[in-house]
Amino acid sequence: MEKRVHYSSLLQLLAVLLGISSLAICQSVCPARCSCHFSKQPRTVICSRQSLEEVPENISDVVEQLNLSNNLLTHITSDINRLTDLQYLNLARNMLSSLPDDISDLKNLRRLDLTGNAVHEIVDISSVKQLPSLVILYLSRNPLYNLEGLISPSLEALDASHCEIRELSNTSLDGLPALTTLSLVGNPLKFIQKAWSPKLRWLDMSDCLLNYLSPDTFSGFPELEELRLSNNPTLVYSTRNSTLSHPNLKKLDVSKCNLDRPGLHGFPSLTHARLSRNAIGLLPDYIFTKNRELGFLYLNTNDVESLNASTFEGLVKLQVLDLSANNLREIHPLAFRENMDLKMLNLSYNILYEFPNLTSAVTLLDVSSNLIKELNVNFLRNMPKIRSIILSDNRLETISSGIKSTSLKNLDLRRNRLVGLENDTFLRLPQLLRLDLSGNRLTEAIDPAIFRNNPDLNSIKLEDNPWRCDCRDLYVLFNYLTEPPAKATESNLLCQSPANVTGYSWEIACFDTWNASVYYNRDRTWGFIMITVLTIIVLFGSFVSIRHMMRVKRRAMEQRQQLESLTLLRQRRLRTVHEEERREHVVERAPEPRINPLELIGPPSYEEAVQMPRLTHSLDHLDEISVETSTMRIMGSADNLRTKQRRTRRVKTRILSEDDLLRREERRQEAASQRNSRANAARRARRQSMVSDSVDSGSGRLRARPQTPSAKSKKRRYTVYDGHLTDDEDSDIQQVNLSRSMVIRELRTEPKSGYRETTVDIDS
């Protein structure tokens, strides 16, 4: 048993998969120049407006809606039968004159549209009787002469409008037993001869040529509820002796038919009657007494001139009554007394000169576009349920004070001639919510105190009035209108006078005046603060300027003093340079000694004497030599020789050859040239440094002068003398610092007269 269940479930699953795969295969095929929508329900193929002359062959079999409208199709083949799932077939606006003889496989087809084709006879489309599910059939705009022979047991709605049907006989609808809706609009239909349809509920024969309708014209439609006969200019269905009747008819539209009387007493179940745009000039008393179910009555655009107290008697369920665009001049105050359910009464576009003191339960009263010049104080006394009154486009110049109503919420006074309002005009309207005074002749500001007893008032329209913008008077009203929640739109309140503010809004025209009083103290405080701030800024700027000037002057003085000091410094430097150059020049002119006298230990030879410098002191003073703190005397004359002879220790003398003397002479000359070159380089360096120091204005310091070899030698040598000077000029003795352990060796000279070379060591 379990295996059988398992096998059956597998078979079901396989069938589903096969169905899905076949559906996918079918869905993958879509005719050229068509759009297919198989993923949505219902599955649709649209081939409209493609200039097709034949039905595409590869249309999917699973299609549910097929649209072939607005093409050039002249015939439909029986291949259409394979579309077994088709529910809606649209063939409108083609060139079809017939349908295939066999379309019996279209068992699911519910709607068929043949609008705008070339079907002349019902016989050419008689195959529609093979469609068991057909509910709606569109045959409009086909050259059909009648509906005889049309058979469809399931058809419920038939549109045969704008055809050539001239007569509706008693057998025209025999083949349509389930028909509930029939449209014959725009046909040249003149006669209806006891047509029969047991279930017909909606019948439209507007824009036809109907003339006289007998009382039993629609007796063959026992279920008829709505009948439309509008725009039949010669229609007559009610006379003095008889009238069209139907016991179940609920809605009747006979507008634009030139009727001279309503003629509704033959429809006891009527709830809606539209008699607008006719020629009804008289409404006799009790004319609607048999229409006790009537709730909506439209008598607009007729020629009714007056209403009596009993005109609408019996209409106890009347809710909407439209009497606009008539010639009403007089309305009896009790004309609507018995209409207890009346909600909307439209009396607009008439020629009423006074507002009637009606007694009615109406909630909305429209008396706009009349000639009313004044309102009676008690015109609302007998309307206890009134909520809205429209009095626009009348000739009201004043509104009487003392209007009383505890239910009025909306009062429309647009486009009248009001020039002012009394202080107690709205005092007795405590429920007032919206007030429209736009398009009047109000010029003066309205005192908001007139709304003191209207706490719920939330909308006041005052635009399109010739306001004279006296800003002081408008200020209070503007605040009242704009304070939250705002009761008016600020941009719609425009001035007309004076001329300098014409077209400006109240707020813009009176901005300076209104803001002067509100912001005067604040502006004064801000002005004082701004003056104080500006004063502080000016003082601070002056202080900064003076301080800056003092700094500039001080800096100029410092720069001038610095310039003077630099000038003096440059002069000093120049003098120092000149003095040093003079000294160096003197030193350079002095002959450089080739034999140092300190090296002598005895009397010089002739050659040595020639090479020695000129003596500035006597020979006795040459014996004194200072080494740091100790001083040695070197004897140069006979005393020196005697002292040397007495010494126990003999010093070996050095004998120099002529070659040695020549080499020494060369070395001395090279040393002298090197010293001269170094001195010249030092002078050039000092001059360059002085030039750079003179260019530099920020430093006044003197750079140390580099020491030349001659300056170094001057620093190392000094002479000790006993105060006795010789006759030689420049007798100053150079001072030289010697080390303690200095060994003075005798120069190697060529011995003369048998004199031997000796070496003398002098210890400190």
Side-chain angles (χ1 to χ4, degrees), residues 258-276:
N258 289 325
L259 299 176
D260 59 350
R261 63 186 66 188
L264 302 180
H265 53 277
F267 308 108
S269 301
L270 197 65
T271 59
H272 293 72
R274 190 172 292 276
L275 299 167
S276 57

Side-chain angles (χ1 to χ4, degrees), residues 361-411:
V362 65
T363 59
L364 172 61
L365 177 59
D366 187 356
V367 288
S368 61
S369 301
N370 279 277
L371 304 175
I372 301 173
K373 293 183 178 181
E374 61 180 359
L375 296 175
N376 193 342
V377 176
N378 300 319
F379 77 99
L380 296 177
R381 176 179 296 179
N382 297 320
M383 289 186 283
K385 296 182 180 180
I386 190 67
R387 294 171 61 89
S388 300
I389 294 180
I390 302 175
L391 284 165
S392 60
D393 297 289
N394 279 280
R395 299 181 180 181
L396 292 172
E397 296 181 359
T398 60
I399 298 178
S400 302
S401 59
I403 300 175
K404 183 179 179 180
S405 176
T406 57
S407 60
L408 187 63
K409 294 186 177 182
N410 303 317
L411 180 57

Side-chain angles (χ1 to χ4, degrees), residues 654-668:
R654 185 178 53 184
I655 300 173
L656 298 176
S657 63
E658 293 182 359
D659 295 332
D660 293 335
L661 292 175
L662 291 175
R663 284 193 295 271
R664 176 180 289 180
E665 182 65 22
E666 291 176 358
R667 285 195 298 271
R668 287 179 180 176

